[in-house]
Amino acid sequence: MTREHLADTLEEIALLLELKGENPFKIRAYRTGAETVLQFPGDIVSLARDGKLEGIKGLGEALQQKLHELASTGALAFHEKLKAEFPPGLFELFDIQGLGPKKIKALYESLAVDSVARLRELCESGAVATLPGFGEKTASKILEAISFREKNSGSFRLGDVAAPVEAMLEALREHPDCLRAEAAGSYRRSKETVHDVDLLVSTGKPEKIIDWFVAQPWTVRVIAHGPTKASINLSSGLQVDLRAVSNAEFACALVYFTGSKEHNVALRGRAADLGYTLNEYRLAVREGSDAPEAPLFEDEGHLYRFLGLDYIAPELRENSGEIEAAEEGDLPRLIELANLRGTFHNHTVASDGRNTLEEMAEAAIELGLQYLGIADHSKSSFQANGLDEKRLRSQISEIRALNLRFREEGTRFRILAGSEVDILKDGSLDFDDELLGELDYVVASVHNAMTLSESAMTERLIRAASHPKVTMLGHLTGRLLLEREPYAVDIPSVIEACAEHGTVIELNCNPWRLDLDWRWWKHAVSRGVKCAINPDAHRVDQLDYLSFGIRLARKGWLRREDVVNTLDLAGIEEWLGLFPIE
Ligand code: DGT
Ligand code: CA
Ligand code: ZN
């Protein structure tokens, strides 16, 4: 049970009540409740489970009871009963981007739309366009959203699968018959989205581990169950495949099931050149070859070395030059989480964050960081409660005062005063140069007018990247994984502008974004552009997003020296031209 699950359930109840045409006050109470659950600063899940919600503003008695039932039993009878009143296909409509409860209600009532399939038919036939409040444009937007959803169905964000995968691995490792357990496949290669998860264990008792695995509470459906492998579904719909091999086979199996397919093909070619065949279990001497017998491989490194290659980190295994580099001893020494000394792009309650300056700073100190950049939204992002000039100046003073306090307390830590300033439609910035000059650094991002033509968007970003006060570009392409395509922009041209003006490009670590995409970093670095790994944290716990950023940075071949926030505080102060706090 998570905070998000509690809030989503209340939100869904509100939608269903709305579809039923219930009293708006009641509906509002559920919406407020959902928001309260999300915003509550303490451990709301435990409080709900233990029935200790009394006195929390925004949660009436009825909601307290429902949250208690949900958190303590895992289900809510009221919610189930409500759901049963509607056709199950209706719930698919909630996943279509741009379809809110009002539109769903209208479609359901006027056209009996009760599934995505039916909705597509009626959009294509023109019936939806004639509904009051819809029109041609809305109908074609809905069609676009439906095909986007189809294209991405069966995909999961890395950030959404990481917690369950790590929990399953931990449980497997604790199993007395498990010798080794690792994730393989696209998850281990740190792809930003995955189709399924591949787990691998080595054991002397494969059947026992496989039987145990499918019987765990995380299994909602068994797809296949054999003596050495099983496939199951988690409640999220994610498919997890588990394979059990012997300890002697583990290294070859791990390489094989980690992939990618293309990397495997290249490895097999290399093995063949040396007189071997490589499959998922072993490296064997090829018939007719006089190559010596292969040893038992202790681990993957041993296998790679035997093939004349340096160890290749899983993130790099996409057959995009890593095998050649491993042969030449030219693989990059990849960045690690422990190399980060600070971050730049984070929010507070001043705009749309959930925690105060002080709370964010304390969490960063706790993580061992030496500096934390605060970049709240600027005034044009009014939907995110962006700061105007006056509020930003007062935040700058607040930051200075806090920094003095850290200094007095002997804490080696500095909050950097920044802004995530909106790049306006024409590429100009939301604040004037004078105010930008009062900041320690500036992140410039696009948050509106995302449907410009490619040439207009490219011009817009180049203009921002060329602005002397802009330190870095935030989430350069605006993509939201599995939800929104990147906007049309000529990325190489923007990279050139950044190279020319010394502008850094962010790798936004929010698992919905992971933007700039890993596929561009090798090129950016070759042009001399530096990366900033930024969590874009809106809450203290989102500073942990840094670990996803690191995974994707490694996938982009980034080294410590390619990333500005591996500099220590003194290095950053020098780079930004700041005087040390005194
Ligand atoms: P995805 O689609 O996100 O699940 O991506 P992967 O890479 O995890 O793909 P998956 O789950 O189909 O297979 C896991 C690994 O197993 C894959 O990366 C390489 C290996 N593999 C699977 N099928 C083949 C194959 O036909 N040939 C070779 N060489 N390797 C394969
Ligand atoms: Ca997979
Ligand atoms: Zn932003």
Side-chain angles (χ1 to χ4, degrees):
M1 189 57 55
T2 62
R3 180 191 291 265
E4 282 71 26
H5 186 87
L6 293 177
D8 286 350
T9 307
L10 296 184
E11 189 64 43
E12 196 171 301
I13 291 174
L15 284 170
L16 294 172
L17 294 175
E18 204 160 3
L19 285 177
K20 284 182 66 161
E22 290 256 357
N23 172 344
F25 291 104
K26 192 168 166 188
I27 297 166
R28 176 112 46 84
Y30 280 93
R31 291 244 153 80
T32 311
E35 190 55 22
T36 305
V37 166
L38 282 180
Q39 303 256 12
F40 188 73
D43 181 359
I44 191 97
V45 180
S46 303
L47 291 176
R49 193 186 50 229
D50 303 340
K52 291 184 179 152
L53 294 171
E54 214 182 305
I56 298 179
K57 207 172 143 255
L59 297 179
E61 207 172 311
L63 253 73
Q64 290 172 27
Q65 274 169 18
K66 291 197 170 69
L67 285 169
H68 174 57
E69 181 184 336
L70 184 57
S72 56
T73 69
L76 178 59
F78 176 70
H79 179 222
E80 301 301 326
K81 201 169 134 247
L82 206 52
K83 274 204 320 206
E85 292 178 39
F86 296 92
L90 191 71
F91 298 95
E92 302 168 5
L93 301 182
F94 294 143
D95 292 341
I96 304 287
Q97 211 209 332
L99 270 194
K102 280 214 185 75
K103 286 213 167 66
I104 293 177
K105 187 166 189 282
L107 289 164
Y108 181 57
E109 284 173 355
S110 325
L111 297 173
V113 172
D114 57 2
S115 68
V116 171
R118 178 94 182 121
L119 177 60
R120 183 209 299 272
E121 267 170 44
L122 293 174
C123 282
E124 282 167 351
S125 76
V128 168
T130 62
L131 266 192
F134 281 75
E136 289 292 343
K137 209 170 152 193
T138 307
S140 77
K141 278 237 161 75
I142 293 176
L143 278 176
E144 260 172 51
I146 291 176
S147 60
F148 184 81
R149 176 178 172 273
E150 261 165 25
K151 201 177 90 199
N152 290 304
S153 78
S155 286
F156 295 80
R157 281 175 289 269
L158 179 68
D160 294 332
V161 307
V165 169
E166 297 303 326
M168 287 185 287
L169 281 174
E170 201 173 311
L172 280 166
R173 286 175 186 143
E174 277 170 16
H175 192 286
D177 295 314
C178 172
L179 300 169
R180 289 190 268 184
E182 293 292 344
S186 49
Y187 175 79
R188 183 164 184 245
R189 299 199 313 280
S190 295
K191 283 285 295 289
E192 67 278 28
T193 58
V194 304
H195 294 111
D196 64 16
V197 167
D198 308 273
L199 302 181
L200 185 69
V201 294
S202 71
T203 173
K205 297 179 180 161
E207 254 186 288
K208 242 176 114 181
I209 291 212
I210 299 285
D211 291 350
W212 173 86
F213 181 77
V214 299
Q216 293 311 296
W218 54 58
T219 301
V220 300
R221 195 165 78 90
V222 180
I223 303 163
H225 184 176
T228 60
K229 57 183 182 188
S231 294
I232 60 156
N233 281 134
L234 306 184
S235 62
S236 59
L238 178 67
Q239 177 176 332
V240 182
D241 297 348
L242 174 67
R243 286 182 186 76
V245 297
S246 71
N247 220 16
E249 294 165 333
F250 190 76
C252 284
L254 186 55
V255 166
Y256 181 89
F257 290 111
T258 298
S260 64
K261 242 174 237 177
E262 294 73 16
H263 177 87
N264 288 355
V265 168
L267 267 192
R268 269 208 305 271
R270 202 176 161 81
D273 291 344
L274 297 171
Y276 297 92
T277 59
L278 177 63
N279 68 18
E280 57 249 70
Y281 304 114
R282 64 192 61 84
L283 186 74
V285 177
R286 206 171 36 152
E287 251 185 49
S289 148
D290 52 9
E293 202 58 42
L296 274 189
F297 296 107
E298 318 231 319
D299 54 28
E300 289 183 316
H302 192 184
L303 172 61
Y304 278 106
R305 274 195 305 282
F306 189 82
L307 295 175
L309 302 171
D310 285 344
Y311 173 72
I312 300 175
E315 295 92 335
L316 301 186
R317 300 184 195 170
E318 300 291 346
N319 195 29
S320 54
E322 74 279 10
I323 296 195
E324 296 77 356
E327 189 177 3
E328 301 291 324
D330 260 352
L331 282 171
R333 179 157 177 195
L334 299 176
I335 185 168
E336 291 170 17
L337 185 59
N339 298 146
L340 294 182
R341 295 287 173 270
T343 88
F344 292 101
H345 177 180
N346 300 285
H347 298 265
T348 73
V349 286
S351 65
D352 58 348
R354 297 271 161 85
N355 290 97
T356 62
L357 260 181
E358 206 170 338
E359 288 163 347
M360 291 299 284
E362 272 159 14
I365 292 170
E366 189 69 25
L367 288 178
L369 301 179
Q370 298 173 4
Y371 50 94
L372 178 77
I374 295 297
D376 270 314
H377 288 285
S378 64
K379 60 186 188 226
S380 287
S381 278
F382 45 85
Q383 74 292 344
N385 190 25
L387 281 62
D388 59 15
E389 288 79 355
K390 195 160 157 247
R391 288 175 64 217
L392 180 54
R393 284 197 165 97
S394 101
Q395 188 184 54
I396 297 174
S397 322
E398 213 183 317
I399 288 174
R400 299 230 163 100
L402 265 172
N403 281 337
L404 281 177
R405 207 191 81 198
F406 293 134
R407 168 82 198 196
E408 276 157 23
E409 293 168 352
T411 312
R412 184 161 172 249
F413 182 83
R414 177 171 185 161
I415 306 176
L416 300 173
S419 168
E420 184 184 16
V421 62
D422 267 18
I423 303 174
L424 306 181
K425 198 169 168 180
D426 64 356
S428 64
L429 301 179
D430 205 10
F431 291 131
D432 63 28
D433 290 5
E434 191 188 333
L435 177 52
L436 295 178
E438 294 169 33
L439 295 164
D440 296 337
Y441 72 102
V442 172
V443 182
S445 308
V446 165
H447 291 114
N448 68 351
M450 298 191 192
T451 53
L452 296 185
S453 69
E454 177 174 324
S455 64
M457 187 60 95
T458 305
E459 278 307 304
R460 179 183 186 184
L461 282 168
I462 288 177
R463 189 171 167 203
S466 313
H467 192 291
K469 297 275 189 268
V470 169
T471 318
M472 62 188 71
L473 295 181
H475 47 71
L476 195 152
T477 74
R479 75 173 178 188
L480 294 177
L481 289 167
L482 308 182
E483 186 160 312
R484 185 172 78 204
E485 296 282 7
Y487 32 72
V489 56
D490 176 15
I491 295 172
S493 301
V494 178
I495 290 176
E496 278 319 299
C498 289
E500 188 182 334
H501 297 276
T503 304
V504 169
I505 297 176
E506 167 180 271
L507 197 176
N508 188 296
C509 308
N510 182 314
W512 287 69
R513 296 187 180 274
L514 300 171
D515 182 8
L516 185 64
D517 186 278
W518 59 273
R519 293 162 186 84
W520 287 104
W521 286 110
K522 230 201 259 183
H523 172 67
V525 165
S526 79
R527 302 302 304 140
V529 173
K530 296 261 187 233
C531 168
I533 297 181
N534 290 327
D536 195 356
H538 286 69
R539 298 202 308 246
V540 288
D541 53 330
Q542 291 180 349
L543 289 172
D544 293 342
Y545 287 167
L546 284 171
S547 65
F548 296 119
I550 287 290
R551 292 181 69 165
L552 273 295
R554 290 169 62 86
K555 197 159 189 59
W557 292 55
L558 292 175
R559 304 159 303 172
R560 179 184 194 152
E561 55 269 39
D562 301 321
V563 176
V564 283
N565 45 322
T566 59
L567 291 174
D568 66 6
L569 178 55
I572 283 294
E573 285 172 339
E574 192 189 323
W575 176 60
L576 293 173
L578 305 175
F579 294 109
I581 306 280
E582 47 197 312

